[in-house]
Amino acid sequence: MMTSPEMFEGRGEVVRMEDVAALKPEPEKDSSSFDSIGAFARTIFDTFEAGIGIVDAETGRYVFVNARWCKMLGYEPQELSRLSIRDVTHPDDWPKTEACIREAQEGLRETYFVEKRFLRKNKTVFWGFLLVRSFRDPVTGNRLLNGIILDFDDKKRIEFQLLNERNITRALSEINALILKRPSPEELYRESCRIAVEFGGFMASWVAVVDPLTLDTHKSGLYIKDPRVQEGIDRVIISVDPEKPNGRGSVGQAYRSGKPVVLNDYLDNPSTLPWRTEAEKFGVASASAFPIRKGEEIVALLVILSNRPNFFETESIGLLTRIAEAMSYALDDFERGQDLFLTSLVFDAVPEGIFITDVEGRITRVNEAFCRLSGFSFGELLGREADTLTAGLEKGILCASIRDAIDQRGTVEGIFELIRKDASSYMVEATITLVEEPGRDSRHVVLLLKDVTAKMERERQIWRLANIDDLTGLLNRTALIERLANEMEKSRRNQGAMALLFLDFDDFKGINDTLGHSAGDSFLKVIGHRLSGSVRPTDIVARLGGDEFVVVVSLESDEKILSFAQKILDILGAPVSIQSQTVQTSVSVGIATYPRDAESVEDLLRKADIAMYQAKNKGKNTWQFFNVEMEERIRLRFEQEQMLKTGLQEGAFFLHFQPQIDVFRRRLVGVEALARWPVPSGGTIGPASFIPLAEETGTILAFGEWVIQEAFRVIQFWSASGRPRIRVGVNVSSRQFWSPTFWTFLREILSRHAELTRWLTFELTETVLMRDPETAGEQLSWLKELGIRIAIDDFGTGYSSLSYLSRFPVDEIKVSQEFVMRMAKSPRDLKLVKTIIQMGKSLRLNLVGEGAETEEEVRMLEGLGCHVIQGFALSRPLPVSEMESFWNQYLEET
């Protein structure tokens, strides 16, 4: 498991990734090129089984990849040098990948771990585990991302290989037990093929017995998992004659070479052509043949079929070879009529450890393999009780299993921890079989043992990699989901209940920003330790990622859960000493219960998460139980968001235009573009109802682009219709104005409509500009150069400063309708409107009074010197079709 980008140099010293990066030679032209990586560093990287890539954090482009990474993706190194990480990432996984890169760019995260999909050169997809660490190039100072990639398919193959190996080992144990009973050849073939299919997970198996005269074979002991395949295999005729097409397959090759032959690409192998049609019909993907001998002569071949491609791995081939060898021993012994039980040749030739006990569990015989495995000699083992070989808590279990085999008059299997002579322990898979000698009142128990210590350690490491959070040692999300599902099933059976507490720290980002990510990691380790120490052994503690943790406890009452939640708040709110500094923060806790709130793992986690965000909304550093109203609010918001996106994609929105009238000259001088959203009932929804949601979800960016495009289309339409040109006002939100995407869009569309830009007005609020006045001024000046007018919308509700009005290139201020609607009844608002108008005139700015709903408000604005007025008193917002008739009321040229 790779937790840090370190490796061993030839001298035995640990070399960090930053040090290896420093080994590259001084750059001549481009220090980011692939060729700039030193030959020593490249040699080291190319020896790794994992894929390794180094990416420039700013550009996302690869600056180095090792051979394994090129092989995974199917590219040459120089091809990858022209690509970015986005080019090889599945589109659905780019958002989370981009987020991680952004955090690395901003120094928010130094190390992260993500499971994602990659795109090969041939457009196929594979899953991978990606461990990334951010560091700076010691030569250029650029921030680089070092990625270590483990093919998820490799992990699956390892898991499948382990399962395959375990199954075949069981089959070998069963066949060895069968051989001890001295079966006839027919029984040996029949039972061996059955055991191979049932225990080994194969599709079909038979023994191809060779006719020495014709070199044809007939099937003996055929055993098939799916009866529907029977007819197809019956039609298969196999020879070992190389002159015949059906004698050149795996069976014929194994017969002539005397060695096992494996075809893991059965359907693509030219030698399988005679049987290709039947194989494709019944799904044969891999096949193998293993010679069975009588003496020195090959008399038959064990045939194994699988419906999985690349099924046969090195380990499984070795195990199947041993099965065929065991069958060969059985044939020899049966023909000689010897007692296999007492045949030292076979007994000592078996590679697994074997010892035999009497019915009391005392060892009466051992083979050489077990002596090597245990470290004891024959003399030290004979007469010894089997349980004396077991370790610690295993005492008594082995003899108990021997008694079970005697009582059941059959076979018992198990995994045991044994002790070697040097006191080291090891794990064995044991098959324990009672053997009764026919015609004699003699019973023995045979124990066939396979050392599985290394295999179990590999399984443990794979499990830890997949289930344990590397930083805190707690369960990760994968293990939490599995464990939680099991606990929920137990609670269901026992009619119990449990509570899930979802924890999220309120200011963890501040720790990372202030003290660095290593301090943040240290803080999380302390938190993990505190959480583990605050629960019972039966409770669950997990880290989901970042600063999110989950605790699951049995639910006795809401009062006790609240008491426990408060305990968690107190424990996690206590100061933490990191890097000689004291850090203190708070945590918000969301609580959901099973089965009251949810009956599935996913639902329980989701509802606890909802409750946690409600706790943050309540002021943080508190707890909150889930309730249905929370979910309903989120559901409604989600539905509205989806409707908004769908409406935008399907073109459901349209624009209305509210006229702006110079009432002194009775002249139409402009319009404001206002979006409308139709509803099934026949009406429309105005922007005040959906724009806030669009702002919050980010849909406003795409929506704003559509509004500007529509505005240009209408300006062009009116111009082509011979109408006098008037200015069209378009609202620009804060999220739009401060988005780089918005300005990229503007450059493109304004260049396409350069002749129309002087008829477009952008309306912005004061707060948008005051976020960063200097940058805002530069952007507004650029717009002014292109001819776009700038209007301050809702003037008077924000900063209302003469200073910023003189600083920005503003053309127009719009008196807020909030004041206009109240000025007839409020002397204070009337004074505000008058002051705004006077201010605008003093700065020689155009004035628009918006929101005039009554004729009185129109007269008051006109009397105060504001002649351009917009509001329902003059006209409601109109569709393009009605603007034509309205226009006819104002014939004076604009």
Side-chain angles (χ1 to χ4, degrees), residues 405-421:
I406 295 170
D407 294 342
Q408 297 173 19
R409 304 179 71 85
T411 299
V412 173
E413 294 179 342
I415 295 179
F416 301 91
E417 183 179 5
L418 303 185
I419 294 291
R420 294 187 178 92
K421 184 177 180 178

Side-chain angles (χ1 to χ4, degrees), residues 3-21 23 40 44 48 133:
T3 59
S4 65
E6 296 182 342
M7 63 194 116
F8 288 99
E9 190 179 301
R11 297 183 299 274
E13 299 172 343
V14 176
V15 181
R16 297 177 300 128
M17 186 66 69
E18 293 91 332
D19 300 331
V20 173
L23 293 174
F40 172 64
I44 294 176
F48 286 11
R133 182 172 182 266

Side-chain angles (χ1 to χ4, degrees), residues 542-614:
R543 179 184 176 222
L544 295 186
D547 60 338
E548 292 181 341
F549 293 82
V550 164
V551 178
V552 182
V553 297
S554 59
L555 176 60
E556 299 174 12
S557 67
D558 286 355
E559 291 74 16
K560 289 190 176 182
I561 290 300
L562 292 181
S563 175
F564 178 72
Q566 187 59 52
K567 174 185 172 184
I568 292 293
L569 291 176
D570 295 340
I571 290 173
L572 301 188
V576 178
S577 179
I578 301 174
Q579 298 178 354
S580 302
Q581 296 195 43
T582 299
V583 175
Q584 190 167 11
T585 184
S586 61
V587 66
S588 296
V589 180
I591 307 171
T593 63
Y594 167 85
R596 182 174 64 196
D597 297 324
E599 294 188 353
S600 70
V601 171
E602 182 180 351
D603 213 23
L604 191 64
L605 279 168
R606 182 178 63 84
K607 291 179 176 178
D609 191 21
I610 291 172
M612 181 271 294
Y613 278 105
Q614 289 299 313

